[in-house]
Amino acid sequence: MLRCAAVRVLRGGGAGSPRAASGSAVAQLRRRLESELEDIRGAGTWKSERVIASRQGPHLRLAGGGAGAYGAAGRALGFFPTPVRRPNFSLSLPAGILNFCANNYLGLSSHPEVIRAAVEALEKFGAGLSSVRFICGTQSIHKDLEEKIARFHQREDAILYASCFDANAGIFEALLTPEDAVLSDELNHASIIDGIRLCKANKYRYKHMDMQDLEAKLQDTQKHRLRLVATDGAFSMDGDIAPLREICQLAQKYDALVFIDECHATGFLGPSGRGTDELLGVMDKVTIINSTLGKALGGAAGGYTTGPKPLIDLLRQRSRPYLFSNSLPPAVVGCASKALDLLMESNAIAQSMAAKTQRFRSKMTAAGFTISGKDHPICPVMLGDARLAAVMAEDMLNRGIYVIGFSYPVVPKGKARIRVQISAVHSDEDIDRCVEAFTEVGRERGALP
């Protein structure tokens, strides 16, 4: 018995041993985490991840033995029994669920030319450089894309990141010092908020799109060396568009710079899809643009900053997410480059968004729903109650419509909603079917009279 105890101690398994203490700490951690997870479930804010068994597009096939999340949803509905052909893309998609929750604004995620460009880039440049750009060098495909992004936005230069989250994490710390000030809209994306937290500038938060509050804070910041106003161009949870004309006027009045995150604008807002600044006629007044390649521009991954060349040069020297992250995979770069080519060749796809967006918004409003935002393909169906949003989203899936309910902490408490996103590859019939399903579910669940 003594020998067995001695062996346990030597092996680290005896009472009071580091292993035993560690086991107790792990058990304590598990209990705390399980309690927190149960609280999330109990609040009705649990976020499930559905598994897609097809490429991204207006129609999806979900894993689990059929079109539905649990194997049955949509299978008996007879949606799209034959492959669907879209006139712009000549692309057959699998039958299945109608998809209204993707950021695939221009439908380029499955465009045959975009896919072909990715394959060609993979074959020519390989899977990746296996390191960061300043160590293992960069490839011509990356430099070409950066030049193309700058030309598209009519800026001096651009720098690629693994994501726009990284771009937002990398710019404020590199640019701003304790002598400076940053003024941020209170509903800016989490990546902007986190990026600002990393910098040592004086931080001010103004009320959402409230120009009086912004002006008051610009007056307060006159004592600082540099003032940077940071805002989303289009706000992803509400579908509203920043008042950039007024922001730029105030910035000019108080000698400030303007930064916009264009993730939900690049490619489809404005006459040629260049974004919010083009839409509102202030391209020459916005200093810095951060945006993504992972939404309208191919839907794969990647982000960027574009603006004055000295700023881009500084980011290459000091931006931590750039310096310490691998360069984008060539296949991703190929996708985005081709997407930009298609966009710059013709604005027809971008212009088609307005009519489709208006069709959905007007029909849903006529049905009795409250749709947040204005004239943006993000169309939040405001419901208020988190459980109602979750249950209605599941009911919609059972009718063959894939949408997602959003609730706290993604949106403020009491402002739960189902966010619908319109794509250029949705047909009028797709949109009408979505409205019909919403109306049926809304009446069943008491969201409509």
Side-chain angles (χ1 to χ4, degrees), residues 2-180:
L2 288 174
R3 182 177 181 276
C4 291
V7 169
R8 283 199 300 273
V9 170
L10 288 171
R11 290 179 177 173
S17 69
R19 180 177 294 179
S22 174
S24 175
V26 171
Q28 183 180 13
L29 173 65
R30 292 178 69 90
R31 287 193 297 271
R32 182 174 67 80
L33 295 177
E34 287 167 0
S35 175
E36 289 188 30
L37 293 172
E38 191 56 41
D39 288 344
I40 295 172
R41 293 187 185 95
T45 58
W46 184 266
K47 298 160 191 64
S48 300
E49 296 183 3
R50 294 170 179 141
V51 180
I52 297 173
S54 64
R55 62 180 62 183
Q56 180 62 270
H59 311 117
L60 297 176
R61 188 178 301 279
L62 301 186
Y70 303 107
R75 190 162 48 216
L77 297 177
F79 283 134
F80 317 111
T82 58
V84 177
R85 287 195 177 273
R86 295 296 170 188
N88 288 332
F89 303 121
S90 302
L91 177 66
S92 294
L93 294 168
I97 296 294
L98 267 173
N99 179 17
F100 277 91
C101 65
N103 296 316
N104 186 25
Y105 292 110
L106 300 179
L108 299 180
S109 295
S110 299
H111 192 292
E113 291 186 46
V114 171
I115 295 172
R116 190 177 308 117
V119 173
E120 290 173 357
L122 181 65
E123 291 176 342
K124 182 176 181 179
F125 292 98
L129 281 170
S130 307
S131 187
V132 301
R133 288 170 68 169
F134 85 92
I135 294 177
C136 282
T138 191
Q139 291 173 309
S140 58
I141 192 172
H142 296 83
K143 299 303 292 182
D144 290 345
L145 178 56
E146 287 170 337
E147 185 277 330
K148 193 175 295 185
I149 288 169
R151 180 158 40 93
F152 176 73
H153 285 286
Q154 298 178 14
R155 296 310 196 272
E156 294 177 12
D157 202 358
I159 180 174
L160 290 171
Y161 287 88
S163 68
C164 190
F165 204 113
D166 277 348
N168 286 339
I171 187 166
F172 300 103
E173 184 181 24
L175 177 62
L176 302 176
T177 74
E179 299 179 63
D180 305 318

Side-chain angles (χ1 to χ4, degrees), residues 251-286:
Q252 187 172 10
K253 180 177 179 180
Y254 292 99
D255 195 23
L257 304 173
V258 178
F259 162 97
I260 55 174
D261 179 311
E262 287 284 78
C263 286
H264 291 275
T266 298
F268 57 93
L269 287 188
S272 56
R274 282 172 167 81
T276 313
D277 59 341
E278 182 190 45
L279 176 72
L280 298 176
V282 291
M283 290 186 73
D284 60 333
K285 295 179 173 61
V286 173

Side-chain angles (χ1 to χ4, degrees), residues 159 161 163-176 191-192 194-196 198-199 259 290 305 311 314-323:
I159 180 174
Y161 287 88
S163 68
C164 190
F165 204 113
D166 277 348
N168 286 339
I171 187 166
F172 300 103
E173 184 181 24
L175 177 62
L176 302 176
S191 59
I192 299 176
D194 286 357
I196 290 173
L198 291 171
C199 78
F259 162 97
N290 277 12
T305 296
L311 169 65
L314 179 69
L315 293 176
R316 292 192 196 280
Q317 302 302 313
R318 295 209 179 145
S319 179
R320 291 167 68 86
Y322 176 81
L323 290 170

